[in-house]
Amino acid sequence: GDSVTQMEGPVTLSEEAFLTINCTYTATGYPSLFWYVQYPGEGLQLLLKATKADDKGSNKGFEATYRKETTSFHLEKGSVQVSDSAVYFCALVPIGGGADGLTFGKGTHLIIQP
Amino acid sequence: DTAVSQTPKYLVTQMGNDKSIKCEQNLGHDTMYWYKQDSKKFLKIMFSYNNKELIINETVPNRFSPKSPDKAHLNLHINSLELGDSAVYFCASSPAIGTRPGYTFGSGTRLTVV
């Protein structure tokens, strides 16, 4: 079945550091890919998404590029802030989407220190 | 106006009790879901409803039963609660199958069984 693998956390960085959170996937065909963020005590918020190969999703300074050849969707940010501390989830939905629901990775806890 | 709203936000109950969690979406989406997030933050889909028909049931115990009175509501009933049911439960919705996938999550219900 479909699966998503994320780097294990927690990831601890200093403010203004460069961030990369790795995500690779296994799926049939060309799934849509997502990054969700969960701030402490809150629900899931869509951070960015990409629906076809070579698409780049971006939001709030975060970027991720859909790489079909490496089946990856790594999340990057050039300069992190303390407010970026959260749990980040990579997810996919199979081609056709809709009712199949999201398959999530296990989440990466990001801690940004001042 | 909250797009996907869940009630209650917190629920503490004793083992053996029966409880319900309500979910409503005002986005006009066709499909609704329930996800369970365990203590390690892992998210797994429990149910999916499309036009009031159950289309996914991911080996969830039959003590859990989704009820959808209409397209905008998907409630979760849990009978004979067990300690292992303690988790955060998220409701979500998405538009029609075949459209560009997009998922909106509620803020979650933290269930604690004592």
Side-chain angles (χ1 to χ4, degrees), chain B residues 13-65:
Chain B
T13 187
Q14 291 186 327
M15 272 195 313
N17 283 351
D18 302 336
K19 289 294 178 184
S20 294
I21 305 172
K22 295 185 177 181
C23 179
E24 175 182 3
Q25 56 98 1
N26 63 6
L27 298 166
H29 285 170
D30 285 326
T31 307
M32 296 183 72
Y33 312 83
W34 278 105
Y35 286 82
K36 179 180 180 180
Q37 186 175 44
D38 63 23
S39 58
K40 296 184 179 180
K41 299 287 189 183
F42 186 58
L43 281 151
K44 186 169 183 181
I45 190 167
M46 300 176 70
F47 300 105
S48 171
Y49 254 74
N50 187 328
N51 289 328
K52 301 201 293 183
E53 291 185 31
L54 179 66
I55 52 177
I56 296 176
N57 183 337
E58 292 285 322
T59 63
V60 173
N62 58 13
R63 298 182 295 104
F64 291 79
S65 56

Coordinates of all heavy atoms in Angstrom, one line a residue, chain B residues 13-65:
Chain B
T13 N -13.9 10.6 30.1 CA -14.9 9.7 30.5 C -14.3 8.4 31.0 O -13.2 8.1 30.9 CB -15.8 9.4 29.2 OG1 -16.9 8.6 29.6 CG2 -14.9 8.6 28.2
Q14 N -15.2 7.6 31.7 CA -14.8 6.3 32.3 C -14.9 5.2 31.3 O -15.7 5.2 30.3 CB -15.6 6.0 33.5 CG -15.3 7.0 34.7 CD -16.1 6.6 35.9 OE1 -17.2 6.1 35.8 NE2 -15.5 6.9 37.1
M15 N -14.0 4.2 31.5 CA -14.1 3.0 30.7 C -15.5 2.4 30.8 O -16.2 2.4 31.8 CB -13.1 1.9 31.4 CG -11.7 2.0 30.9 SD -10.8 0.5 31.3 CE -11.2 0.2 33.0
G16 N -15.9 1.9 29.6 CA -17.2 1.2 29.5 C -18.3 2.1 29.1 O -19.4 1.7 28.7
N17 N -18.1 3.5 29.2 CA -19.1 4.4 28.8 C -19.2 4.5 27.3 O -18.3 4.0 26.5 CB -18.8 5.8 29.3 CG -19.1 6.0 30.8 OD1 -19.7 5.1 31.4 ND2 -18.7 7.1 31.3
D18 N -20.3 5.0 26.8 CA -20.6 5.3 25.4 C -20.6 6.8 25.2 O -21.2 7.6 25.9 CB -22.0 4.8 24.9 CG -22.1 3.3 25.2 OD1 -21.1 2.6 25.3 OD2 -23.3 2.8 25.3
K19 N -19.9 7.3 24.1 CA -19.8 8.7 23.9 C -19.9 9.0 22.4 O -19.6 8.1 21.6 CB -18.5 9.3 24.4 CG -18.4 9.3 25.9 CD -19.4 10.3 26.5 CE -19.3 10.3 28.0 NZ -20.4 11.2 28.6
S20 N -20.2 10.3 22.1 CA -20.2 10.7 20.7 C -19.4 12.0 20.5 O -19.4 12.8 21.4 CB -21.7 11.0 20.3 OG -22.4 9.8 20.3
I21 N -18.9 12.1 19.3 CA -18.2 13.3 18.9 C -18.9 13.8 17.7 O -19.1 13.0 16.7 CB -16.7 13.1 18.6 CG1 -16.0 12.4 19.8 CG2 -16.0 14.4 18.3 CD1 -14.6 12.0 19.5
K22 N -19.2 15.1 17.6 CA -19.9 15.6 16.5 C -19.0 16.4 15.6 O -18.0 17.0 16.0 CB -21.0 16.6 17.0 CG -22.1 15.8 17.7 CD -23.2 16.8 18.1 CE -24.4 16.0 18.8 NZ -25.5 16.9 19.1
C23 N -19.3 16.4 14.3 CA -18.5 17.1 13.3 C -19.4 17.7 12.2 O -20.3 17.0 11.7 CB -17.5 16.3 12.6 SG -16.5 17.1 11.4
E24 N -19.2 19.0 11.9 CA -20.0 19.7 10.9 C -19.0 20.5 10.0 O -18.1 21.1 10.4 CB -21.0 20.6 11.6 CG -21.8 21.5 10.6 CD -22.7 22.4 11.3 OE1 -22.7 22.5 12.5 OE2 -23.5 23.1 10.5
Q25 N -19.3 20.5 8.7 CA -18.5 21.3 7.7 C -19.5 22.2 6.9 O -20.6 21.7 6.5 CB -17.6 20.4 6.9 CG -18.4 19.3 6.1 CD -18.7 19.7 4.6 OE1 -18.4 20.8 4.2 NE2 -19.3 18.8 3.9
N26 N -19.0 23.4 6.7 CA -19.8 24.3 5.9 C -19.2 24.7 4.6 O -19.4 25.8 4.1 CB -20.1 25.6 6.8 CG -18.9 26.3 7.2 OD1 -17.8 26.0 6.7 ND2 -19.0 27.4 8.0
L27 N -18.4 23.8 4.1 CA -17.6 24.0 2.9 C -18.3 23.5 1.6 O -17.8 23.6 0.5 CB -16.2 23.4 3.0 CG -15.4 24.0 4.1 CD1 -14.2 23.1 4.4 CD2 -14.9 25.4 3.8
G28 N -19.4 22.7 1.8 CA -20.1 22.1 0.7 C -19.3 20.9 0.2 O -19.6 20.5 -1.0
H29 N -18.4 20.4 0.9 CA -17.6 19.2 0.5 C -18.5 18.0 0.5 O -19.4 17.8 1.2 CB -16.4 19.0 1.4 CG -15.3 20.0 1.2 ND1 -14.2 20.1 2.1 CD2 -15.1 20.9 0.2 CE1 -13.4 21.0 1.6 NE2 -13.9 21.5 0.5
D30 N -18.1 17.0 -0.4 CA -18.8 15.8 -0.6 C -18.4 14.6 0.3 O -19.1 13.7 0.6 CB -18.7 15.3 -2.0 CG -19.6 16.1 -2.9 OD1 -20.6 16.6 -2.5 OD2 -19.2 16.3 -4.1
T31 N -17.1 14.7 0.8 CA -16.6 13.6 1.6 C -16.1 14.1 2.9 O -15.5 15.2 3.0 CB -15.4 13.0 0.8 OG1 -15.8 12.6 -0.5 CG2 -14.9 11.7 1.5
M32 N -16.4 13.3 4.0 CA -15.9 13.6 5.3 C -15.2 12.4 5.9 O -15.4 11.3 5.5 CB -17.1 14.0 6.2 CG -17.7 15.3 5.7 SD -19.1 15.9 6.8 CE -18.1 16.4 8.3
Y33 N -14.3 12.7 6.8 CA -13.4 11.6 7.4 C -13.3 11.8 8.9 O -13.4 12.8 9.4 CB -12.0 11.8 6.8 CG -11.9 12.0 5.3 CD1 -12.0 13.2 4.7 CD2 -11.6 10.9 4.5 CE1 -11.9 13.4 3.4 CE2 -11.5 11.0 3.1 CZ -11.6 12.3 2.6 OH -11.5 12.5 1.2
W34 N -12.9 10.6 9.5 CA -12.4 10.7 10.9 C -11.0 10.1 10.9 O -10.8 9.0 10.3 CB -13.3 9.9 11.8 CG -14.5 10.7 12.2 CD1 -15.8 10.5 11.8 CD2 -14.5 11.7 13.2 NE1 -16.6 11.4 12.4 CE2 -15.9 12.2 13.3 CE3 -13.5 12.3 14.0 CZ2 -16.2 13.2 14.1 CZ3 -13.9 13.4 14.8 CH2 -15.3 13.8 14.9
Y35 N -10.1 10.8 11.6 CA -8.7 10.3 11.8 C -8.5 10.2 13.3 O -9.0 11.0 14.1 CB -7.7 11.4 11.2 CG -7.6 11.4 9.7 CD1 -8.5 12.1 8.9 CD2 -6.6 10.7 9.1 CE1 -8.4 12.1 7.6 CE2 -6.5 10.7 7.7 CZ -7.4 11.4 6.9 OH -7.3 11.4 5.6
K36 N -7.6 9.3 13.6 CA -7.2 9.1 15.0 C -5.7 9.5 15.1 O -4.9 9.0 14.3 CB -7.4 7.7 15.5 CG -7.0 7.4 16.9 CD -7.2 6.0 17.3 CE -6.8 5.7 18.7 NZ -7.1 4.3 19.1
Q37 N -5.3 10.3 16.1 CA -3.9 10.6 16.3 C -3.5 10.1 17.7 O -4.1 10.5 18.7 CB -3.7 12.2 16.3 CG -2.2 12.5 16.4 CD -1.9 14.0 16.3 OE1 -2.6 14.8 16.8 NE2 -0.9 14.3 15.5
D38 N -2.6 9.2 17.7 CA -2.2 8.5 18.9 C -1.2 9.4 19.7 O -0.9 10.5 19.3 CB -1.7 7.1 18.7 CG -0.4 7.1 17.8 OD1 0.3 8.1 17.8 OD2 -0.1 6.1 17.2
S39 N -0.8 8.8 20.8 CA 0.1 9.6 21.7 C 1.5 9.9 21.1 O 2.1 10.8 21.5 CB 0.3 8.8 23.0 OG 0.9 7.6 22.7
K40 N 1.8 9.2 20.1 CA 3.1 9.5 19.4 C 2.9 10.4 18.1 O 3.7 10.6 17.3 CB 3.8 8.2 18.9 CG 4.2 7.3 20.1 CD 4.9 6.1 19.6 CE 5.4 5.3 20.8 NZ 6.1 4.0 20.4
K41 N 1.7 11.0 18.1 CA 1.3 11.9 17.0 C 1.0 11.2 15.7 O 0.8 11.9 14.7 CB 2.4 13.0 16.8 CG 2.7 13.8 18.0 CD 1.5 14.8 18.3 CE 1.9 15.8 19.3 NZ 0.7 16.7 19.6
F42 N 1.0 9.9 15.6 CA 0.7 9.2 14.4 C -0.7 9.4 14.0 O -1.6 9.1 14.8 CB 1.2 7.8 14.4 CG 1.1 7.1 13.1 CD1 1.7 7.5 12.0 CD2 0.3 5.9 13.0 CE1 1.7 6.9 10.8 CE2 0.2 5.3 11.8 CZ 0.8 5.7 10.7
L43 N -1.0 9.8 12.7 CA -2.3 10.0 12.2 C -2.8 8.8 11.3 O -2.1 8.5 10.4 CB -2.4 11.3 11.4 CG -2.5 12.5 12.2 CD1 -1.9 13.7 11.5 CD2 -3.9 12.9 12.6
K44 N -3.9 8.3 11.6 CA -4.4 7.2 10.8 C -5.9 7.4 10.5 O -6.7 7.7 11.4 CB -4.2 5.8 11.4 CG -4.5 4.7 10.5 CD -4.0 3.4 11.1 CE -4.4 2.2 10.1 NZ -3.9 0.9 10.6
I45 N -6.3 7.1 9.2 CA -7.7 7.3 8.8 C -8.5 6.2 9.4 O -8.1 5.0 9.5 CB -7.8 7.4 7.3 CG1 -9.2 7.8 6.9 CG2 -7.5 6.0 6.7 CD1 -9.4 8.2 5.5
M46 N -9.7 6.6 9.9 CA -10.6 5.6 10.5 C -11.8 5.3 9.5 O -12.1 4.2 9.2 CB -11.2 6.1 11.8 CG -10.1 6.3 12.9 SD -10.9 7.0 14.4 CE -11.8 5.6 15.0
F47 N -12.4 6.4 9.1 CA -13.6 6.3 8.2 C -13.6 7.4 7.2 O -13.0 8.5 7.4 CB -14.9 6.4 9.0 CG -15.1 5.4 10.1 CD1 -14.9 5.8 11.4 CD2 -15.4 4.1 9.8 CE1 -15.1 4.9 12.4 CE2 -15.6 3.2 10.8 CZ -15.4 3.6 12.1
S48 N -14.3 7.1 6.1 CA -14.5 8.1 5.1 C -16.0 7.9 4.6 O -16.5 6.8 4.5 CB -13.6 7.8 3.9 OG -13.9 8.7 2.8
Y49 N -16.7 9.0 4.5 CA -18.1 9.0 4.0 C -18.2 9.9 2.8 O -17.7 11.0 2.8 CB -19.0 9.6 5.1 CG -19.8 8.5 5.8 CD1 -19.2 7.6 6.7 CD2 -21.2 8.4 5.6 CE1 -20.0 6.7 7.3 CE2 -21.9 7.4 6.2 CZ -21.3 6.5 7.1 OH -22.0 5.6 7.7
N50 N -18.8 9.4 1.8 CA -19.1 10.1 0.6 C -20.5 10.1 0.3 O -21.1 9.0 0.0 CB -18.2 9.5 -0.6 CG -18.3 10.4 -1.8 OD1 -19.3 11.0 -2.1 ND2 -17.2 10.4 -2.6
N51 N -21.2 11.2 0.3 CA -22.6 11.2 0.0 C -23.4 10.2 0.9 O -24.2 9.5 0.4 CB -22.9 11.0 -1.5 CG -22.5 12.1 -2.3 OD1 -22.5 13.3 -1.9 ND2 -22.0 11.9 -3.5
K52 N -23.0 10.2 2.1 CA -23.7 9.4 3.2 C -23.5 7.9 3.0 O -24.1 7.1 3.7 CB -25.2 9.7 3.2 CG -25.6 11.2 3.5 CD -27.0 11.3 4.0 CE -28.0 11.0 3.0 NZ -29.4 11.2 3.5
E53 N -22.5 7.6 2.3 CA -22.1 6.1 2.2 C -20.7 5.9 2.7 O -19.8 6.6 2.3 CB -22.3 5.7 0.7 CG -23.7 5.6 0.2 CD -23.8 5.0 -1.2 OE1 -22.9 4.2 -1.5 OE2 -24.7 5.5 -1.9
L54 N -20.6 4.9 3.5 CA -19.3 4.6 4.0 C -18.4 3.9 2.9 O -18.9 3.0 2.3 CB -19.4 3.6 5.2 CG -18.1 3.1 5.8 CD1 -17.4 4.2 6.5 CD2 -18.4 1.9 6.8
I55 N -17.3 4.5 2.7 CA -16.5 3.9 1.6 C -15.1 3.4 2.0 O -14.4 2.8 1.3 CB -16.3 4.9 0.4 CG1 -15.8 6.3 0.9 CG2 -17.6 5.1 -0.3 CD1 -15.6 7.3 -0.2
I56 N -14.7 3.8 3.3 CA -13.5 3.2 3.8 C -13.7 2.9 5.3 O -14.3 3.6 6.0 CB -12.3 4.2 3.7 CG1 -11.9 4.6 2.3 CG2 -11.1 3.6 4.5 CD1 -10.8 5.6 2.2
N57 N -13.3 1.7 5.7 CA -13.3 1.4 7.1 C -12.0 0.7 7.4 O -11.8 -0.5 7.0 CB -14.5 0.5 7.4 CG -14.6 0.2 8.9 OD1 -13.6 0.3 9.6 ND2 -15.8 -0.1 9.4
E58 N -11.0 1.3 8.0 CA -9.7 0.8 8.1 C -9.5 -0.1 9.3 O -8.9 0.3 10.3 CB -8.6 1.9 8.1 CG -8.5 2.7 6.8 CD -7.8 1.9 5.8 OE1 -6.8 1.2 6.2 OE2 -8.1 1.9 4.6
T59 N -10.1 -1.2 9.3 CA -10.0 -2.2 10.4 C -10.2 -1.6 11.8 O -9.5 -1.9 12.7 CB -8.6 -2.9 10.3 OG1 -7.6 -2.0 10.5 CG2 -8.5 -3.6 9.0
V60 N -11.1 -0.7 11.9 CA -11.5 -0.1 13.1 C -12.4 -1.0 13.9 O -13.3 -1.6 13.3 CB -12.1 1.3 12.9 CG1 -12.6 1.9 14.2 CG2 -11.1 2.2 12.2
P61 N -12.2 -1.1 15.2 CA -13.2 -2.0 16.0 C -14.6 -1.6 15.8 O -14.9 -0.4 15.6 CB -12.7 -1.8 17.4 CG -11.3 -1.3 17.3 CD -11.2 -0.6 16.1
N62 N -15.5 -2.5 15.8 CA -16.9 -2.2 15.5 C -17.6 -1.4 16.7 O -18.8 -1.1 16.6 CB -17.7 -3.4 15.2 CG -17.7 -4.5 16.2 OD1 -17.3 -4.2 17.4 ND2 -18.1 -5.7 15.9
R63 N -16.8 -1.1 17.8 CA -17.3 -0.3 18.8 C -17.4 1.2 18.3 O -18.1 2.0 18.9 CB -16.4 -0.3 20.0 CG -16.3 -1.7 20.7 CD -15.4 -1.6 21.9 NE -14.0 -1.3 21.6 CZ -13.4 -0.1 21.8 NH1 -14.1 0.9 22.3 NH2 -12.2 0.1 21.5
F64 N -16.7 1.4 17.2 CA -16.7 2.8 16.6 C -17.7 2.7 15.5 O -17.6 1.9 14.6 CB -15.3 3.1 16.1 CG -14.3 3.4 17.1 CD1 -13.7 2.3 17.8 CD2 -14.0 4.7 17.5 CE1 -12.7 2.6 18.8 CE2 -13.0 4.9 18.5 CZ -12.4 3.9 19.1
S65 N -18.6 3.7 15.4 CA -19.6 3.7 14.3 C -19.8 5.2 13.9 O -20.2 6.0 14.7 CB -20.9 3.1 14.7 OG -21.4 3.7 15.9

